[in-house]
């Protein structure tokens, strides 16, 4: 299983970015996809997750600003990030939980700065 993410970059405070991640390989229909992030000097934290059935979960810090969605036909997950703040600056990791195993990509840098 491989995960390939895209969409990171530099954005001004208040701006928006959309992260995308596609999984390839042997993907079973029942799984959970998620985005984690890790800022310098901080522990990795869950940003948002979504089950194959569409149930979502968000960190309090992004609730109302970020939206996670997925396309099961494409084995893809998306993270729409609005009203970005400097504290959202981090490396964002796309993660797949499937049949007791965890897969993650190499990370995508998101920098929020003026």
């Amino acid at each position: 299983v491989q995960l390939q993410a895209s969409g990171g970059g530099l954005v001004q405070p208040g701006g928006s970015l959309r992260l995308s991640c596609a999984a390839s390989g042997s993907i079973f229909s029942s799984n959970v996809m998620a985005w984690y992030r890790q800022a310098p000097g901080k522990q990795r934290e869950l940003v948002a997750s979504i089950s194959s059935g569409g149930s979502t979960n968000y960190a309090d810090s992004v609730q109302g600003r970020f939206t996670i969605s997925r396309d099961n036909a494409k084995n893809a997950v998306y993270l729409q990030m609005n009203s970005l703040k400097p504290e959202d600056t981090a490396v964002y990791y796309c993660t797949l939980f499937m049949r007791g195993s965890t897969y993650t990509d190499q990370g995508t840098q998101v920098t929020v700065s003026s």
Side-chain angles (χ1 to χ4, degrees):
V1 174
Q2 290 188 327
L3 299 173
Q4 181 66 49
S6 61
L10 173 64
V11 64
Q12 293 187 341
S16 298
L17 279 176
R18 185 180 190 237
L19 303 182
S20 301
C21 176
S24 60
S26 298
I27 309 299
F28 295 99
S29 58
S30 179
N31 58 66
V32 174
M33 300 189 81
W35 292 95
Y36 285 77
R37 68 185 181 186
Q38 187 166 20
K42 295 187 176 181
Q43 290 187 332
R44 191 172 298 190
E45 62 175 355
L46 175 67
V47 176
S49 65
I50 185 167
S51 70
S52 50
S55 296
T56 59
N57 182 49
Y58 294 92
D60 289 344
S61 59
V62 306
Q63 183 77 43
R65 300 188 296 122
F66 291 10
T67 302
I68 191 170
S69 60
R70 63 186 291 164
D71 184 333
N72 290 336
K74 296 181 179 179
N75 292 319
V77 64
Y78 310 97
L79 186 68
Q80 178 66 43
M81 304 184 291
N82 298 328
S83 303
L84 283 161
K85 305 176 181 179
E87 51 263 43
D88 294 318
T89 296
V91 177
Y92 284 70
Y93 297 90
C94 173
T95 303
L96 169 66
F97 301 95
M98 183 176 66
R99 294 200 172 188
S101 296
T102 302
Y103 306 89
T104 189
D105 75 325
Q106 293 184 334
T108 301
Q109 178 69 46
V110 172
T111 302
V112 185
S113 174
S114 55

